Each structure stands twice: as structure tokens, then as C-alpha cells.
Amino acid sequence: MSSKVDNNDPNLDGRSAERKEELNKQIKEQKVAVDELSNLKKDRKVYVQQRNSNILFLADRGQTLSSCKSSRTWTRVW
């Protein structure tokens, strides 16, 4: 038995397209989060939702903005 991947598999192209679509969606979400944080007034509060949790935590706006700009972890900012 051979363990080679069949590049002619039509499902492979579909999965690749789905993955690209998902990555594009995440990039757009990241850009929106950065824009929203950049345009907030100084006195506004920012809450961050931790992964796998329904609890929101008060966060520093500047720190949250810099972490959204620099990291590729997709945090959900409210």
C-alpha cells in the first residue's frame, strides 16, 4: 500500500478552498477588531472573552489593541 496523497482528488481542492475561506474570514474579523479598538474613546471599557468560556473579563484597551495587532491568536473582543 502506498501512503502518497492523490493530488487529483476533487475533495482535496474543496477542503483547500474551505480552509482559505475560513482564514479570510478570520483575517477580516481581526481587522474589524483592530479598527473597533482603534476608534474607541479613551474612557470606554473593553471586555475580552477567554477561549472556551462564557465569561467576559475587563481588559486594558491599549493592551488589547496591541495584542490584537501583534498576535495571530483569535481572541474574541466585545
Side-chain angles (χ1 to χ4, degrees):
M1 296 199 83
S2 176
S3 63
K4 291 182 181 178
V5 176
D6 183 12
N7 289 334
N8 295 328
D9 184 7
N11 291 331
L12 186 61
D13 289 334
R15 284 178 273 171
S16 177
E18 288 174 12
R19 181 67 181 145
K20 272 187 176 179
E21 187 176 321
E22 181 63 30
L23 287 173
N24 283 334
K25 181 181 173 185
Q26 289 177 345
I27 290 169
K28 285 179 186 178
E29 288 175 1
Q30 181 82 6
K31 287 180 181 179
V32 168
V34 169
D35 286 343
E36 290 290 330
L37 287 168
S38 297
N39 292 319
L40 278 179
K41 293 181 181 178
K42 301 286 183 198
D43 62 340
R44 296 293 181 189
K45 295 184 180 185
V46 174
Y47 294 89
V48 177
Q49 182 178 7
Q50 298 297 316
R51 289 183 186 250
N52 301 324
S53 174
N54 291 328
I55 301 172
L56 299 173
F57 295 95
L58 184 62
D60 179 66
R61 186 186 68 85
Q63 248 181 349
T64 306
L65 178 60
S66 65
S67 71
C68 278
K69 284 182 176 179
S70 65
S71 75
R72 290 293 174 193
T73 59
W74 306 105
T75 57
R76 194 172 195 179
V77 178
W78 296 92

